[in-house]
Amino acid sequence: MYFCDLKRMEDKIKTFAKFGDAGHGGVTRYSLSPESILARDEFVKRMTAIGATIETDDLANMYATIPGSDPNAKRIVMASHCDSVKNGGNYDGILGVMGAMEVLETVVAESIPHKHPLTAMIWTNEEGSEFPPCMMSSGTVSYDYMPERFRDNFEFNKMMASRSILDPEMTFGEKLSTFKYKGDKANRINPDQYKAMFELHIEQGPILEDAGKDVGVVTCVLGQMLYRIKFYGQAAHAGTFPMKKRKDAFYAASEALCYLHEEIDKLGHEDLVYTTGEVVIHPCVNTVIPDFFDFSIDVRHENPEVLNQVREILATLEKREWQGCKCEVVLGWNRDTVYFDEKLIDHVREAVAESDIPYMEIKSGAGHDAQYISYMVPTTMIFVVSKDGLSHTEVEYTTPEQCTNSVSVMLNAVLKADKADD
Amino acid sequence: MYFCDLKRMEDKIKTFAKFGDAGHGGVTRYSLSPESILARDEFVKRMTAIGATIETDDLANMYATIPGSDPNAKRIVMASHCDSVKNGGNYDGILGVMGAMEVLETVVAESIPHKHPLTAMIWTNEEGSEFPPCMMSSGTVSYDYMPERFRDNFEFNKMMASRSILDPEMTFGEKLSTFKYKGDKANRINPDQYKAMFELHIEQGPILEDAGKDVGVVTCVLGQMLYRIKFYGQAAHAGTFPMKKRKDAFYAASEALCYLHEEIDKLGHEDLVYTTGEVVIHPCVNTVIPDFFDFSIDVRHENPEVLNQVREILATLEKREWQGCKCEVVLGWNRDTVYFDEKLIDHVREAVAESDIPYMEIKSGAGHDAQYISYMVPTTMIFVVSKDGLSHTEVEYTTPEQCTNSVSVMLNAVLKADKADD
């Protein structure tokens, strides 16, 4: 078994944490932002230093490739993203990119023989923080291969028209057209040139930590659906309008939110998660009764039947008025559970089993680019433990040792895939 | 009894509705904005046309004055504001300014004899929409006359340091310093030069309409307090963090909001109003559990004892955790009920009684510049009916006839004050 280098990983973690440093231990590094360019420049610098060839595609996805012994062999790619949520941490996404670089650096430094070209890759706009949806470019690249019913979410021109939440005048396409690393569509990852994709990522949950494991062998990504729950009330003056006549959209939403927790929790599914994280209120003035309140609800579970049960509860919201306000439930998008490639899962399981790193099988509650690429190229993921299960926050943390161990697992799994029959 | 001119009022209503027209029947016209300059330019144009003298003070409050028969007599001023809330209507504030102009125009057109100089006035930043607090300049101008405990809210340098909610880099003082209508502190309204102030305003509630009255003789402005209720949770990933371990600040706030309605309504005070209109949520991303949620609560009642009962309920929020989140209750500001000048109230009552306009006595639930000026100069208010009791919304409406009638009442009340012993 081969091992990656702790010092080199520590250096990468420290360096990339500077790009978009928000000042309290984390980063805000939106895709296509100046901060994201700094991270990509560093990627180019380090990969060029080991003799890798740099390519970029029309969505600014980046590929750094070192050749294998067989010039005709398909590539094996290790990919993740370098963009973050607002006030995110130093591991979500970027760890998978640093890990891919570390694998290539180790292979070159130790002249590890391999047949297939090995590629380290950066996915553009996985978080969708400024330009929704999340996993935009993996969804777009795998468009022709994904089930019909998901395609509408990732139609190319629709993605290009996605508006910035920071500047509604700006579309993703406009920003991309002037972006330093926009390249050629011909360079997109595809089934003819790529044999397999691995994505290393922090778990973003407490399951590994609670079980005392460092690495998770990921078998699937849980099904997920996103809805917006909208309430329409009537604005009026705070000081003069009698309580009995009010149609307060914020009160309506609060009452409905408590109702949702009550009803969904009654279903009794331990492993069901749902989140109401995004809010829009109008006019948001302390002397005015709100006439509009809208919140998102993100629901995840492996079993589509369980998602249907929640869907039925959401539907009941529209059947009554909430504090005199009408309610509207709008589907954002949804996807079924995605199962990863059995062969690749075995390579990861064998690689970690040969080490003394504590591991377990795990399902991914988070969405990842890997789930869309798995429609197109054999794909799997490796998770590494997250301290306190926290992510999408500045306090997310994984020790340098745990990071390096997980990268060593990826290196050895990639080498097994390299040896496996094509 | 004298009457104002319907056609002239209609023309003013139509004209001022253009300045900040938000495109669906209402205006967004923040104080010191380009739109507010258009409204002030129109004020200057119309008042200059009737020979009025224009003055502005250091807070950009504007005064248009026509002389009376006694050059030594104190001024009688009619004042309101021309700024609006976000997506406000065409009557809140601006009606009192248009009414003051209409009174002067009528007095000049019909050469109505009067002893005292008559002044039409615009107050700066009554709404505090961009730069809090509301009623900023009337509070600042009357600073030396208001009860000690309110002063901290209106200390001059503190007002100048108020930050824009649109651009936190910008303070009110900075924007004011370059504002077209900033003038001289010596021009501020004061007890030595002003005998009385009248403020005409829409009711902003349904009381007059429900009683079939057009005009309200206002006797007081209700006591009011503003608090912020803050919840501190823990951000984590939507897809991976188990429900049982979550500290969701939005869920916490929703539960607490429903609790507040339950507890406050138990007090059983029909005429108590409270509003939760302004919300801050962080990070406001649909894949992240919110770690912070903050909402405003504005509470109003004539009786300080009733306000204390609500204060006690708010205090109980801090005594427990809400969905694992800590809660903090922060006082924004508060004031006691303000009673208007008996003599001026009588003038208004007599003026409307001499007409055939249906009227009643009424208490103001809304705050107005008049309440602060009443600490300094004898002051009162006149309300006119609001359709459906709505205001601070684009659909607020009062018919041109009702507007003109209420202005005629102000004209005749002013003439009674003009004749009354000084």
Side-chain angles (χ1 to χ4, degrees):
Chain A
M1 150 155 210
Y2 294 94
F3 292 95
C4 293
D5 187 78
L6 176 60
K7 289 265 159 300
R8 210 163 39 205
M9 270 305 288
E10 282 179 322
D11 178 58
K12 279 190 281 286
I13 293 167
K14 240 178 76 195
T15 304
F16 281 89
K18 290 184 205 141
F19 308 135
D21 183 351
H24 1 75
V27 296
T28 296
R29 188 168 58 222
Y30 288 179
S31 208
L32 307 190
S33 68
E35 298 75 23
S36 77
I37 291 178
L38 296 177
R40 286 160 176 260
D41 289 346
E42 182 71 19
F43 175 82
V44 170
K45 186 179 129 211
R46 290 180 183 249
M47 292 297 91
T48 309
I50 60 166
T53 310
I54 309 295
E55 297 163 316
T56 65
D57 67 25
D58 59 327
L59 290 154
N61 300 309
M62 295 185 76
Y63 311 74
T65 306
I66 56 173
S69 59
D70 176 356
N72 302 320
K74 289 184 175 185
R75 294 174 173 182
I76 297 172
V77 61
M78 294 157 281
S80 195
H81 60 97
C82 67
D83 61 316
S84 81
V85 296
K86 181 178 172 192
N87 295 112
N90 298 319
Y91 301 87
D92 182 346
I94 192 64
L95 175 64
V97 174
M98 295 187 293
M101 288 190 278
E102 175 59 31
V103 166
L104 265 53
E105 288 164 338
T106 305
V107 167
V108 169
E110 304 187 20
S111 315
I112 301 173
H114 57 101
K115 170 182 168 189
H116 296 263
L118 302 181
T119 303
M121 181 180 171
I122 295 175
W123 283 108
T124 298
N125 197 31
E126 193 271 349
E127 297 290 1
S129 302
E130 180 180 357
F131 297 96
C134 50
M135 297 170 281
M136 181 194 278
S137 55
S138 52
T140 307
V141 165
S142 58
Y143 181 86
D144 297 340
Y145 303 86
M146 63 174 55
E148 281 286 354
R149 68 189 179 289
F150 298 162
R151 291 191 184 176
D152 186 49
N153 302 324
F154 294 105
E155 195 278 316
F156 184 82
N157 293 325
K158 197 167 168 185
M159 296 303 100
M160 292 304 118
S162 171
R163 297 205 167 276
S164 167
I165 62 164
L166 303 178
D167 168 15
E169 296 303 300
M170 169 74 74
T171 66
F172 181 78
E174 284 158 11
K175 197 155 185 181
L176 180 63
S177 65
T178 61
F179 186 63
K180 178 177 180 181
Y181 288 110
K182 183 183 189 306
D184 184 348
K185 183 173 180 181
N187 291 332
R188 286 185 184 184
I189 180 174
N190 63 73
D192 302 334
Q193 292 170 284
Y194 288 80
K195 176 186 184 183
M197 182 178 115
F198 290 82
E199 182 169 5
L200 168 66
H201 205 284
I202 57 171
E203 178 198 346
Q204 310 182 261
I207 296 166
L208 292 176
E209 187 178 62
D210 290 353
K213 311 295 187 184
D214 279 357
V215 165
V217 178
V218 187
T219 57
C220 67
V221 176
L222 297 183
Q224 176 179 7
M225 57 189 191
L226 177 69
Y227 282 86
R228 306 287 316 195
I229 317 289
K230 299 167 186 281
F231 297 86
Y232 301 90
Q234 173 61 62
H237 190 286
T240 53
F241 207 73
M243 301 307 289
K244 284 183 178 158
K245 290 188 156 212
R246 296 188 176 199
K247 297 176 176 181
D248 179 340
F250 178 24
Y251 184 18
S254 298
E255 192 183 37
L257 184 70
C258 293
Y259 163 86
L260 280 178
H261 277 271
E262 211 170 286
E263 293 304 307
I264 297 176
D265 294 353
K266 273 189 204 155
L267 297 175
H269 301 297
E270 278 279 324
D271 47 359
L272 171 67
V273 288
Y274 58 99
T275 304
T276 54
E278 196 175 309
V279 158
V280 178
I281 179 172
H282 179 275
C284 201
V285 174
N286 61 40
T287 54
V288 185
I289 299 158
D291 61 358
F292 178 72
F293 196 102
D294 164 2
F295 63 80
S296 62
I297 182 165
D298 169 302
V299 189
R300 313 195 194 194
H301 196 276
E302 181 177 3
N303 181 349
E305 269 322 300
V306 172
L307 294 178
N308 273 330
Q309 293 171 349
V310 176
R311 205 173 272 118
E312 280 159 20
I313 291 170
L314 294 179
T316 63
L317 290 175
E318 286 184 328
K319 294 201 174 76
R320 56 170 273 203
E321 284 198 342
W322 299 86
Q323 298 302 326
C325 302
K326 295 222 172 318
C327 174
E328 188 185 7
V329 178
V330 182
L331 173 64
W333 61 281
N334 69 89
R335 64 143 199 271
D336 300 342
T337 295
V338 173
Y339 296 92
F340 287 131
D341 183 79
E342 287 299 345
K343 264 184 166 180
L344 297 182
I345 294 171
D346 289 342
H347 294 326
V348 174
R349 192 186 294 105
E350 289 157 19
V352 65
E354 288 166 12
S355 74
D356 56 3
I357 301 161
Y359 73 97
M360 66 188 282
E361 289 203 356
I362 188 168
K363 296 162 182 169
S364 174
H368 296 286
D369 292 311
Q371 83 205 32
Y372 289 121
I373 301 314
S374 66
Y375 292 127
M376 177 168 81
V377 170
T379 300
T380 197
M381 292 189 73
I382 300 163
F383 276 175
V384 61
V385 64
S386 304
K387 183 171 188 307
D388 302 327
L390 299 178
S391 75
H392 281 193
T393 166
E394 295 175 319
V395 301
E396 75 183 19
Y397 185 67
T398 303
T399 69
E401 293 72 15
Q402 291 167 325
C403 290
T404 310
N405 283 342
S406 65
V407 178
S408 298
V409 170
M410 179 157 69
L411 165 61
N412 290 281
V414 164
L415 293 174
K416 289 177 188 297
D418 179 72
K419 284 182 189 51
D421 304 332
D422 298 334
Chain B
M1 154 154 207
Y2 293 95
F3 294 95
C4 294
D5 187 76
L6 176 62
K7 288 266 158 300
R8 209 162 40 205
M9 271 304 288
E10 283 179 323
D11 177 57
K12 280 191 281 285
I13 293 166
K14 237 178 79 194
T15 305
F16 281 88
K18 290 182 206 146
F19 308 135
D21 183 350
H24 5 73
V27 296
T28 296
R29 190 168 56 222
Y30 288 178
S31 209
L32 306 190
S33 69
E35 297 76 23
S36 77
I37 291 178
L38 295 177
R40 286 159 175 262
D41 289 344
E42 182 72 17
F43 175 82
V44 170
K45 184 179 131 212
R46 290 181 183 249
M47 292 296 92
T48 309
I50 60 165
T53 310
I54 309 295
E55 298 164 318
T56 64
D57 67 24
D58 60 328
L59 290 153
N61 299 311
M62 296 186 74
Y63 311 74
T65 305
I66 57 173
S69 58
D70 176 354
N72 303 321
K74 290 183 173 183
R75 294 174 171 181
I76 297 172
V77 61
M78 294 156 281
S80 195
H81 60 97
C82 68
D83 61 316
S84 82
V85 295
K86 181 177 170 192
N87 294 111
N90 298 319
Y91 301 89
D92 181 347
I94 193 65
L95 175 65
V97 174
M98 295 187 293
M101 287 190 278
E102 176 59 30
V103 167
L104 265 54
E105 288 164 338
T106 305
V107 166
V108 169
E110 304 187 17
S111 315
I112 300 172
H114 57 101
K115 171 183 168 188
H116 296 264
L118 303 180
T119 303
M121 180 180 172
I122 296 174
W123 283 109
T124 299
N125 198 31
E126 193 271 350
E127 298 290 0
S129 302
E130 180 179 356
F131 297 99
C134 51
M135 297 170 280
M136 181 194 276
S137 55
S138 52
T140 306
V141 165
S142 58
Y143 181 84
D144 296 340
Y145 303 87
M146 64 175 53
E148 281 285 356
R149 70 188 177 290
F150 298 162
R151 290 191 185 174
D152 186 48
N153 303 322
F154 294 105
E155 196 277 313
F156 183 81
N157 294 326
K158 198 167 167 184
M159 297 303 99
M160 293 303 117
S162 170
R163 296 206 166 275
S164 167
I165 61 164
L166 304 178
D167 169 15
E169 295 303 299
M170 169 73 73
T171 66
F172 180 79
E174 284 158 10
K175 196 155 187 180
L176 180 63
S177 66
T178 62
F179 187 62
K180 178 177 181 181
Y181 287 110
K182 184 183 190 303
D184 183 349
K185 183 173 179 181
N187 291 332
R188 285 184 183 184
I189 180 174
N190 64 74
D192 302 334
Q193 292 170 281
Y194 288 79
K195 179 186 182 182
M197 180 177 118
F198 291 83
E199 182 169 5
L200 169 67
H201 205 284
I202 57 170
E203 178 199 345
Q204 309 182 260
I207 296 167
L208 291 176
E209 187 179 62
D210 290 354
K213 311 294 186 184
D214 280 356
V215 165
V217 178
V218 188
T219 57
C220 68
V221 176
L222 298 181
Q224 175 179 6
M225 57 189 192
L226 177 68
Y227 282 85
R228 305 287 316 197
I229 317 290
K230 300 167 185 280
F231 298 86
Y232 300 90
Q234 173 61 63
H237 191 286
T240 53
F241 206 74
M243 301 307 290
K244 284 184 177 154
K245 289 188 156 212
R246 296 188 176 200
K247 297 176 177 182
D248 178 341
F250 178 26
Y251 184 18
S254 298
E255 190 183 38
L257 184 70
C258 294
Y259 163 86
L260 280 178
H261 276 272
E262 210 170 286
E263 292 304 307
I264 296 175
D265 295 353
K266 273 188 203 155
L267 297 174
H269 301 296
E270 279 278 324
D271 48 358
L272 171 67
V273 288
Y274 59 98
T275 304
T276 53
E278 197 174 308
V279 158
V280 179
I281 179 173
H282 179 275
C284 201
V285 174
N286 61 41
T287 54
V288 185
I289 298 159
D291 60 358
F292 179 72
F293 197 102
D294 165 2
F295 64 80
S296 62
I297 182 165
D298 169 301
V299 189
R300 312 194 195 194
H301 196 276
E302 181 176 3
N303 182 351
E305 269 322 300
V306 172
L307 293 179
N308 273 330
Q309 292 171 349
V310 176
R311 206 174 270 117
E312 280 160 19
I313 290 170
L314 293 179
T316 63
L317 290 176
E318 287 183 327
K319 294 202 173 75
R320 57 172 271 203
E321 283 198 342
W322 298 86
Q323 298 301 326
C325 302
K326 294 221 175 317
C327 174
E328 187 185 9
V329 178
V330 181
L331 174 64
W333 60 281
N334 68 90
R335 64 145 199 272
D336 299 344
T337 295
V338 174
Y339 295 92
F340 287 131
D341 182 79
E342 288 298 346
K343 262 184 168 179
L344 298 183
I345 295 171
D346 289 342
H347 295 325
V348 175
R349 193 187 291 103
E350 288 156 20
V352 65
E354 289 165 11
S355 74
D356 57 3
I357 302 161
Y359 74 97
M360 66 186 283
E361 288 202 355
I362 188 169
K363 295 161 183 173
S364 174
H368 296 287
D369 293 311
Q371 83 204 30
Y372 288 122
I373 300 314
S374 66
Y375 292 128
M376 177 168 82
V377 171
T379 301
T380 198
M381 292 189 73
I382 300 164
F383 276 175
V384 60
V385 63
S386 305
K387 182 170 188 311
D388 302 327
L390 299 177
S391 74
H392 280 193
T393 165
E394 295 175 320
V395 302
E396 76 184 15
Y397 185 67
T398 303
T399 70
E401 293 73 15
Q402 291 167 327
C403 290
T404 310
N405 283 342
S406 65
V407 178
S408 296
V409 169
M410 180 158 69
L411 166 61
N412 290 281
V414 164
L415 293 174
K416 287 176 189 297
D418 180 71
K419 284 181 189 54
D421 305 331
D422 298 335

